[in-house]
Amino acid sequence: MNQRMKSVVTLLAAACAMGLAANASAQSAGQFSAKIGAGKITPEGDSGDLSAPAFPGSKVAVGDATAPVLIVAYGLTDNISAELGLNLPYKLKLSGAGTQAGTGQLGTAEALLPSAFIQYRFFQPEAMLRPFVGLGVTYAYFQKETGSGKLTALLNTGGPATTFSIGAKAAATLQAGVAVNINPRWFVDLTVTKSKLEVQTRYATGQTQSVRLDPLAVILAIGYKF
């Protein structure tokens, strides 16, 4: 088990312990809730090769990023909820990989990842601890893509600065988590999501590159029930 998953398990265990001491509070049909917290995304895919002219195996790697999140939900029934999540931009760093490994940072980009889910919440509305699973869609939108001098040196040596853009894409997303009541109105929850996401990058030099991000997201938040 890697360190990230160990951390998730530890947080889930802590949430369960809190739940045993919490006062029961309904999360039921017709109820709105809102929560704020922090989300960390970890891209778990890899990139395709940069299109010609380029050395074979010229790839790119995308690093982890953390950003504040806002999530609102509505209880359709006592066990089924609809949820909408928004985030401030995740600031991604792109580095050389494959035959470009060791070249350092090639660029940066900001990612907005609004998502919508239909969730099933286990147990009765009065339960102190409510695990949930969800199925939804994430729309990945990228902005402020900025290439570095190293990118220009690789793709357009001696020429003007190389720019690039990342195309927007919708992706199916799975969700699992647990909510724990602190008191009748306040709660905390931990959510893990996994998206199947591949995007297309276009460079000013005319070259293209597919990047399979497949991000894993972990969100820890505190919420309020209206």
Side-chain angles (χ1 to χ4, degrees), residues 46-62 94-101 103 106-107 142 145 151 154-155 162-169 197-213:
D46 54 15
S47 79
D49 289 354
L50 181 67
S51 65
F55 290 110
S58 296
K59 300 180 182 295
V60 67
V62 182
L94 289 68
S95 302
T99 56
Q100 294 182 157
T103 56
L106 301 180
F142 301 89
E145 300 96 322
L151 180 66
L154 284 170
L155 302 187
T162 299
T163 60
F164 68 97
S165 63
I166 304 174
K169 186 75 174 288
L197 176 62
E198 184 172 349
V199 296
Q200 191 76 8
T201 302
R202 297 184 179 276
Y203 297 92
T205 55
Q207 294 158 285
T208 61
Q209 188 169 37
S210 63
V211 181
R212 185 166 57 88
L213 295 172

Side-chain angles (χ1 to χ4, degrees), residues 11-220:
L11 287 171
L12 283 170
C16 291
M18 290 176 62
L20 295 176
N23 294 320
S25 179
Q27 292 176 311
S28 55
Q31 185 177 59
F32 283 95
S33 66
K35 56 188 178 181
I36 57 173
K40 179 180 180 180
I41 59 169
T42 302
E44 294 194 322
D46 54 15
S47 79
D49 289 354
L50 181 67
S51 65
F55 290 110
S58 296
K59 300 180 182 295
V60 67
V62 182
D64 299 353
T66 303
V69 297
L70 169 66
I71 300 169
V72 294
Y74 177 74
L76 301 173
T77 72
D78 285 352
N79 295 97
I80 299 175
S81 298
E83 183 180 271
L84 175 66
L86 303 171
N87 66 279
L88 290 180
Y90 289 104
K91 297 181 179 181
L92 306 176
K93 294 182 179 180
L94 289 68
S95 302
T99 56
Q100 294 182 157
T103 56
Q105 185 171 306
L106 301 180
T108 60
E110 293 184 352
L112 295 169
L113 304 173
S115 58
F117 294 95
I118 295 295
Q119 300 172 331
Y120 183 82
R121 293 181 175 267
F122 296 90
F123 308 144
Q124 297 302 310
E126 295 79 14
M128 293 177 290
L129 186 68
R130 297 198 76 184
F132 57 87
V133 293
L135 177 63
V137 61
T138 297
Y139 184 75
Y141 176 80
F142 301 89
Q143 62 184 21
K144 297 184 179 179
E145 300 96 322
T146 305
S148 70
K150 293 179 181 178
L151 180 66
T152 300
L154 284 170
L155 302 187
N156 196 25
T157 306
T162 299
T163 60
F164 68 97
S165 63
I166 304 174
K169 186 75 174 288
T173 304
L174 298 175
Q175 179 192 62
V178 61
V180 182
N181 294 302
I182 299 172
N183 61 41
R185 289 293 180 184
W186 293 93
F187 66 96
V188 294
D189 72 13
L190 178 69
T191 306
V192 179
T193 67
K194 177 67 175 178
S195 300
K196 189 71 173 178
L197 176 62
E198 184 172 349
V199 296
Q200 191 76 8
T201 302
R202 297 184 179 276
Y203 297 92
T205 55
Q207 294 158 285
T208 61
Q209 188 169 37
S210 63
V211 181
R212 185 166 57 88
L213 295 172
D214 292 352
L216 176 73
V218 179
I219 299 169
L220 183 63

